[in-house]
Amino acid sequence: MKKLCLSLAALLLCLLAHSQEADGAGKYAEFHLIPRFDFNPYTSLGSGGDGSSGCDFGSSSIYTLFEGAFSDNISFTLSNHWLSTTPGELYTSTFRSDYNNWVDMCLVDFSLGAFDIVLGKDMICTGGTEYEDWDVDVDDILSSNFWNTFQPYQWGAKVGVTFLKETTSFWLQAVTSPYGERPFASKLFTYSAQIRGEYGPYSNIWSVSAVQRDEGQFDYVAYLGNMLELGDWTLTLDWSNSTGMGEYNMLGGNMVRFTSVFAPSEKWDVGFKGNYYITKRHTGLEQAFNGGLSCHYYPLGNEMLRIHANVGYDTFESCLCASIGVKLNLTLFSL
């Protein structure tokens, strides 16, 4: 695995050097500063709750996104998570692959016709439509247990091919495992195959992954994501044979996620997002649901400013929660 990445790195460096000799076509760079502030009150209800109530700052954070292209066929992405509600954890886990840290994505994408090679820290090719949003955009109190527990950003490489008149792409990926403490040194990896398609109003993201949790031991995760766009409505339906990531293994069972979003204007949208779980293992999530309503308002009619409000319920925690916040997306420079 390490030799493969070094070989691909050498190939990309050669291609990068070659691109410098080009006439500058396709070159661009953009740097975004993306702060977000959330206020999340919550209270426990019913016999399943502990009667507690309080508030936290949810997904309050500061991100940056630096992306661009060296030429028509070499692009890059650098996404950093500089501040969160537990900022120390972002930096103490800098050289770990089993925890989130301040580097989310750091990759170079080389494209040659129908083929792509991506090298660096990227998202594991596991997950459906829920993983299409940037972390800073996610409605955290309405996200699935899989999204909340799985550590998707890993080091490695993937190769892809696009076919059927550019409607379908197929990817093979090998990256470090979220169960390995140190990238590459732990010698634990995740191998994935993913197919993505766009066919008129319908699109899909289907994947299978072998997540290595110990030497010679793998958990197999299937994920089928589906999206249907009908006028102002966007509907998604995702299924996985895993309800999330446990301390020692991927949690079994079934997870179904359904969302329905109505966006009649560029300035606002409302929707329902829900997750239903049935598990075969003793995880405490034998049968559970979390989800609720979301509302996003864009006063400027674009992504520069978003005001969001959500309300949701979690049957496992017997918790009623809400979230109100604001997110800015500031382009500091564009070349």
Side-chain angles (χ1 to χ4, degrees):
M1 176 67 182
K2 192 172 183 179
K3 291 181 179 179
L4 172 62
C5 289
L6 290 173
S7 299
L8 290 173
L11 173 62
L12 289 178
L13 286 173
C14 292
L15 293 168
L16 177 59
H18 175 72
S19 72
Q20 300 302 309
E21 300 175 1
D23 59 5
K27 291 184 179 180
Y28 79 95
E30 291 185 351
F31 185 82
H32 299 262
L33 174 66
I34 313 173
R36 170 173 171 164
F37 177 78
D38 285 359
F39 178 73
N40 295 10
Y42 61 86
T43 185
S44 295
L45 303 174
S47 58
D50 59 8
S52 65
S53 60
C55 63
D56 58 43
F57 297 107
S59 292
S60 298
S61 54
I62 296 178
Y63 284 81
T64 57
L65 175 63
F66 183 38
E67 58 182 353
F70 300 109
S71 68
D72 283 333
N73 53 11
I74 300 181
S75 60
F76 65 88
T77 300
L78 175 61
S79 173
N80 295 100
H81 189 177
W82 298 108
L83 185 65
S84 71
T85 54
T86 54
E89 295 180 3
L90 294 174
Y91 299 96
T92 56
S93 58
T94 294
F95 299 106
R96 300 181 69 99
S97 54
D98 52 350
Y99 289 96
N100 290 315
N101 58 52
W102 58 279
V103 180
D104 283 347
M105 301 175 71
C106 180
L107 59 88
V108 176
D109 184 335
F110 170 67
S111 177
L112 180 60
F115 295 90
D116 280 86
I117 300 174
V118 180
L119 181 67
K121 192 175 188 183
D122 195 2
M123 184 174 291
I124 297 178
C125 288
T126 299
T129 60
E130 186 176 16
Y131 279 87
E132 286 299 273
D133 291 331
W134 293 97
D135 288 3
V136 73
D137 292 326
V138 169
D139 298 312
D140 60 331
I141 67 171
L142 307 180
S143 57
S144 70
N145 188 65
F146 194 102
W147 190 92
N148 280 311
T149 57
F150 192 62
Q151 209 311 77
Y153 299 112
Q154 300 294 333
W155 294 94
K158 67 180 180 181
V159 295
V161 60
T162 302
F163 53 98
L164 294 180
K165 297 182 179 180
E166 299 185 350
T167 62
T168 307
S169 61
F170 178 71
W171 295 88
L172 293 174
Q173 184 190 59
V175 294
T176 53
S177 170
Y179 284 104
E181 291 185 3
R182 305 293 178 184
F184 302 110
S186 297
K187 297 182 179 180
L188 299 179
F189 301 99
T190 296
Y191 306 97
S192 301
Q194 183 183 79
I195 188 165
R196 307 170 69 103
E198 295 183 5
Y199 314 102
Y202 170 76
S203 59
N204 70 288
I205 308 172
W206 297 349
S207 67
V208 290
S209 298
V211 182
Q212 190 173 12
R213 50 187 168 83
D214 205 346
E215 185 176 355
Q217 296 182 327
F218 290 85
D219 286 336
Y220 298 94
V221 178
Y223 216 118
L224 304 179
N226 306 273
M227 178 183 293
L228 187 63
E229 297 178 277
L230 299 173
D232 296 331
W233 289 90
T234 300
L235 310 176
T236 70
L237 181 64
D238 290 8
W239 168 86
S240 178
N241 67 335
S242 174
T243 58
M245 181 176 172
E247 184 176 1
Y248 302 108
N249 53 260
M250 298 298 296
L251 306 178
N254 289 273
M255 181 189 76
V256 176
R257 174 176 171 82
F258 172 74
T259 72
S260 175
V261 176
F262 178 60
S265 164
E266 292 183 352
K267 287 195 170 184
W268 64 276
D269 64 68
V270 294
F272 169 81
K273 301 177 181 181
N275 310 280
Y276 182 68
Y277 314 91
I278 302 175
T279 181
K280 297 179 291 185
R281 303 183 185 181
H282 301 292
T283 62
L285 282 174
E286 294 182 1
Q287 204 167 17
F289 168 85
N290 77 287
L293 302 176
S294 68
C295 179
H296 302 145
Y297 176 53
Y298 304 89
L300 305 179
N302 55 41
E303 292 287 340
M304 182 178 293
L305 174 62
R306 186 188 82 174
I307 300 171
H308 49 268
N310 310 300
V311 60
Y313 185 71
D314 185 331
T315 62
F316 177 64
E317 299 287 348
S318 297
C319 181
L320 177 66
C321 50
S323 176
I324 185 168
V326 60
K327 186 204 75 172
L328 293 171
N329 189 335
L330 306 173
T331 303
L332 296 190
F333 71 78
S334 178
L335 302 175

